[in-house]
């Protein structure tokens, strides 16, 4: 993905195919869906996000918080995938290392 590190977080999520799009019209508020983007990248991000929900303490706590707030499993995993691509974009644009918020005791 050559745009990684040079695009904004919304644009990078849309290019990866994990940006939520609304289905609203008037008083009707439909479910948000992901669409478009690069299919192979989206599938790879999904698998990475699924693994991160179990093995990365920061992303696992993010996933757990979403589930406690009533989000479906698939919706929460897609949110983690979006967070992964946004984190990768931020790390590359700032030219820094990723520092986890979770501190082992």
């Amino acid at each position: 993905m050559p745009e990684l590190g040079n695009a904004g977080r919304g644009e990078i999520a849309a290019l990866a195919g994990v940006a939520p799009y609304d289905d609203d019209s008037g008083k009707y508020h439909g479910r948000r869906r992901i669409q478009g983007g690069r299919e192979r990248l989206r599938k790879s991000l999904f698998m990475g996000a699924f693994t991160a929900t179990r093995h990365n303490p920061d992303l696992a706590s993010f996933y757990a918080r979403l589930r406690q707030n009533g989000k479906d499993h698939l919706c929460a995993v897609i949110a983690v995938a979006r967070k992964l691509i946004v984190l990768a974009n931020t790390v590359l644009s700032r030219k820094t290392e990723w520092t986890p918020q979770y501190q082992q005791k």
Side-chain angles (χ1 to χ4, degrees):
M1 189 170 191
E3 301 87 0
L4 207 56
N6 298 319
R9 64 183 186 178
E11 185 180 358
I12 214 70
L15 287 170
V18 292
Y21 291 102
D22 60 3
D23 184 22
D24 299 343
S25 177
K27 291 183 180 180
Y28 174 76
H29 295 287
R31 193 170 172 198
R32 287 359 183 200
R33 301 187 191 287
I34 60 169
Q35 63 186 21
R38 298 177 182 151
E39 184 179 8
R40 287 183 64 190
L41 177 61
R42 184 174 57 247
K43 288 179 179 181
S44 299
L45 272 174
F46 178 79
M47 292 308 295
F50 190 70
T51 303
T53 61
R54 295 176 185 262
H55 300 290
N56 183 316
D58 290 333
L59 295 174
S61 66
F62 176 67
Y63 171 80
R65 188 175 75 238
L66 291 174
R67 292 289 288 158
Q68 287 174 354
N69 290 339
K71 295 290 183 191
D72 293 336
H73 164 73
L74 196 58
C75 180
V77 171
I78 293 299
V80 171
R82 184 179 192 280
K83 194 166 193 84
L84 270 175
I85 195 71
V86 169
L87 282 171
N89 188 48
T90 303
V91 165
L92 288 174
S93 67
R94 292 182 182 171
K95 296 180 176 79
T96 61
E97 292 184 14
W98 180 66
T99 53
Q101 295 177 4
Y102 178 79
Q103 300 295 324
Q104 290 183 342
K105 295 179 182 176

